[in-house]
Amino acid sequence: MEAEPQEDEPDWHDLALRKAAELENVRKQTAQRVQKATRDGMRRVALELLPALDDFERALAHAEAEESDLEHHLTKGIRLVQEQLLAALRRAGIESYTSVGDEFDPHLHEAVATAPTPGARSGTVVEVFQAGYRLGDDVLRAAKVVVAA
């Protein structure tokens, strides 16, 4: 016959299960905090880099227009550096997006103008002034677009 525990003696098995569950909850909460801190840090770095990438794109477009030769070695080299920067952002989970022809979505786009555009349905994006960027499902910066009127 099994001896019954005394009233003031704790149930060690139950206590051990409770403490193990508490420890697992702390581990999960810590992992979530670390993941959020990592995403927040990546977001801050990306928001600092995006204006420089925009300027890079504008400078390259201007240089290529001035050269009249798209095979110029200097701009090809600069384009290569730009692609490496964009690839590094992609590896970090940050993607650029453009959406010519897509339906205007205020969560993804910032309309900077509307224009009557023959052949385009009203409310669709007809031009992208500035690419949008997102980190996973979070929009870091909305794309600046022209919408068909």
Side-chain angles (χ1 to χ4, degrees):
M1 189 162 185
E2 200 173 300
E4 295 206 15
Q6 295 179 355
E7 298 252 343
D8 54 352
E9 185 177 320
D11 182 354
W12 295 110
H13 181 68
D14 183 56
L15 187 59
L17 290 175
R18 288 176 189 265
K19 293 301 176 186
E22 284 178 26
L23 182 60
E24 185 60 28
N25 286 339
V26 168
R27 282 186 189 138
K28 287 179 184 176
Q29 290 170 354
T30 302
Q32 288 172 345
R33 283 191 207 115
V34 167
Q35 187 177 31
K36 183 183 181 321
T38 300
R39 284 180 72 84
D40 289 348
M42 289 173 53
R43 179 184 196 91
R44 280 194 304 275
V45 168
L47 289 173
E48 291 292 324
L49 287 175
L50 294 182
L53 280 170
D54 295 335
D55 291 342
F56 210 7
E57 179 62 35
R58 282 188 287 275
L60 279 167
H62 179 72
E64 288 170 349
E66 290 291 316
E67 289 172 359
S68 76
D69 176 15
L70 295 180
E71 295 300 315
H72 192 270
H73 295 295
L74 177 62
T75 53
K76 280 177 69 175
I78 294 171
R79 268 287 169 217
L80 181 61
V81 172
Q82 180 192 34
E83 286 302 317
Q84 289 174 336
L85 286 170
L86 291 170
L89 288 175
R90 281 192 298 273
R91 286 190 300 274
I94 299 164
E95 296 275 342
S96 71
Y97 65 90
T98 55
S99 45
V100 172
D102 288 353
E103 195 69 27
F104 176 78
D105 180 345
H107 300 295
L108 300 175
H109 308 116
E110 177 184 337
V112 294
T114 59
T117 308
R121 214 173 65 237
S122 178
T124 58
V125 174
V126 293
E127 187 178 349
V128 176
F129 279 131
Q130 191 176 57
Y133 286 85
R134 60 179 142 214
L135 174 59
D137 291 335
D138 298 332
V139 174
L140 296 176
R141 182 181 75 191
K144 293 184 179 174
V145 300
V146 176
V147 180

